[in-house]
Amino acid sequence: FPVTICKVYRGYKPSGLFAGGAGALITQMPGKVVKILKKEGEQVTKGETVLILEAMKMENEIKSGADGIVKAINVKEGQALEAGFLMVEIEE
């Protein structure tokens, strides 16, 4: 029988680590911004939810991968996004 190996993420998974480092939150799949929980200039801690993105009929909490300050929010609520879009920049 074939063995399937899958990764299990406990707690939270930083949302943008594959492209821009812990301070760049980048979409991994197309989706729609449901709610933005932080504003530019606000302090965030690692693991804190920054926004909610609806993708594949599920709401996903997009969490900060680092402690820092929200430098830029490049999306608006209700905006449809393609994969690879830089949603939020966090300055560490």
Side-chain angles (χ1 to χ4, degrees):
F1 294 95
V3 176
T4 303
I5 299 173
C6 62
K7 292 182 180 178
V8 177
Y9 295 97
R10 300 190 189 283
Y12 76 97
K13 176 183 170 190
S15 308
L17 298 184
F18 70 95
L25 302 182
I26 299 171
T27 56
Q28 295 181 6
M29 65 182 74
K32 183 175 95 175
V33 178
V34 176
K35 187 168 188 173
I36 301 170
L37 303 172
K38 292 292 179 180
K39 294 183 173 116
E40 289 183 9
E42 278 192 281
Q43 186 79 31
V44 291
T45 57
K46 184 175 180 177
E48 186 174 5
T49 302
V50 177
L51 61 87
I52 297 173
L53 182 73
E54 183 182 290
M56 298 177 65
K57 298 183 182 180
M58 293 179 61
E59 289 189 354
N60 301 283
E61 292 183 347
I62 306 302
K63 300 174 185 288
S64 175
D67 295 337
I69 296 172
V70 178
K71 181 180 174 185
I73 297 175
N74 303 319
V75 295
K76 295 179 181 156
E77 289 183 6
Q79 183 176 349
L81 305 175
E82 293 297 319
F85 190 89
L86 176 61
M87 299 177 289
V88 178
E89 296 174 64
I90 297 171
E91 191 169 67
E92 296 179 61

